[in-house]
Amino acid sequence: MKRALMAAVLLLLGTATTASEKASVNAKTGLSGVKVEASQVLQTDARTLWGTITDYNRLASFIPDMVSSRVISAPGAPKRVEQIADAGMFAFVMPDQVVLALEETPYNQIRFRAISGKLVSMSGEWRIVGDKAPVTLLYRAHIVPMSPIPPLGSGYFVEDEVRTRFEAVGREAERRTRESKRASTYSPPPLASPYYSPYLSR
C-alpha cells in the first residue's frame, strides 16, 4: 500500500515538472497602437513547434476566435497567408481580416507584416529558442488599428486576450509531441502464424 502511494506521489510530481509554464505577456496600448511581447517555455521540440506555427491552413482549428487561415500564395512564391477572425471588440489585437507577408527561417524565426487588411499596419515575429524540449516560444507584434482603441483596450485586458491565443499554440504543439511519442512506442500485436490451425492444435 505504501509503495503504491509513493508511486502515485512520484507520478504526480513527474507530471507537475513536465507541465508547461504559464505564458508571460506584456502589452502596451497608446496613440501608436498596440505593442505586444509574449513568451512561454513549452514541453516540445523546435521541429514540432515549428510545424505547429507554420500549419497555416489549420491554425483556425486550435486558435480561439480565428475563423479561417489559408495560404494564398503559389508554391515557390513569397509566402502569403490570409486570416479572418471574429474577435469582437478585440479586433485591434486580432484583425477581422488581414493578409500577411511571411519570411521564414526554418525552426527558428518567422517575421510577418500586413500587406492588406482591416488595419493601418501590423508587423512582428515568432521566434523559437532551443532545439530539444523544453524550448521557449517568443512572440512580438506592433499593431496599429484603423479605429481608436476602446476603453477596455487597456494593457491588462489585451494581455489576457493575447495569452489565450498564444497559449493555444503551445498546447497544440505539446499535444502533437505527446501523440508522436505514443505512436513511436506503440507495438502492434504479433500476427498469427499462417500455418496455425485450431484442428492441428488439439
Side-chain angles (χ1 to χ4, degrees):
M1 180 67 179
K2 289 183 178 180
R3 289 183 178 179
L5 180 60
M6 181 61 70
V9 171
L10 291 175
L11 178 62
L12 288 173
L13 289 175
T15 302
T17 57
T18 57
S20 62
E21 300 178 6
K22 186 176 181 179
S24 172
V25 180
N26 181 265
K28 296 180 180 179
T29 61
L31 296 177
S32 62
V34 183
K35 294 182 178 180
V36 176
E37 293 184 354
S39 66
Q40 186 177 21
V41 177
L42 299 168
Q43 299 300 324
T44 186
D45 60 276
R47 285 179 176 267
T48 302
L49 183 53
W50 176 266
T52 303
I53 299 172
T54 59
D55 195 0
Y56 303 116
N57 292 331
R58 294 192 64 255
L59 293 180
S61 68
F62 55 85
I63 296 182
D65 299 327
M66 184 172 287
V67 177
S68 70
S69 176
R70 64 191 183 100
V71 176
I72 60 174
S73 52
K79 188 68 65 70
R80 301 287 186 267
V81 174
E82 180 189 47
Q83 295 181 341
I84 297 175
D86 184 16
M89 69 175 63
F90 289 98
F92 59 89
V93 176
M94 178 181 283
D96 292 336
Q97 188 273 337
V98 65
V99 175
L100 299 173
L102 308 177
E103 297 179 15
E104 300 176 338
T105 303
Y107 316 120
N108 177 254
Q109 183 186 50
I110 302 173
R111 292 181 177 177
F112 61 86
R113 62 182 178 85
I115 56 176
S116 68
K118 297 181 179 180
L119 72 172
V120 175
S121 67
M122 178 179 182
S123 62
E125 68 173 352
W126 292 87
R127 183 181 291 272
I128 301 172
V129 180
D131 182 23
K132 298 181 179 179
V135 298
T136 301
L137 177 62
L138 305 174
Y139 174 77
R140 178 183 60 83
H142 181 198
I143 307 162
V144 181
M146 287 184 171
S147 303
I149 298 174
L152 286 179
S154 64
Y156 172 80
F157 291 101
V158 172
E159 288 171 1
D160 192 52
E161 286 293 308
V162 172
R163 181 177 291 107
T164 297
R165 299 176 180 87
F166 184 72
E167 290 184 343
V169 175
R171 281 195 302 272
E172 175 64 13
E174 291 181 328
R175 183 193 68 79
R176 295 185 182 193
T177 298
R178 291 191 298 270
E179 284 196 353
S180 177
K181 288 181 178 179
R182 281 197 294 266
S184 64
T185 57
Y186 172 73
S187 298
L191 295 175
S193 171
Y195 302 105
Y196 171 77
S197 170
Y199 301 102
L200 296 176
S201 62
R202 292 179 180 177

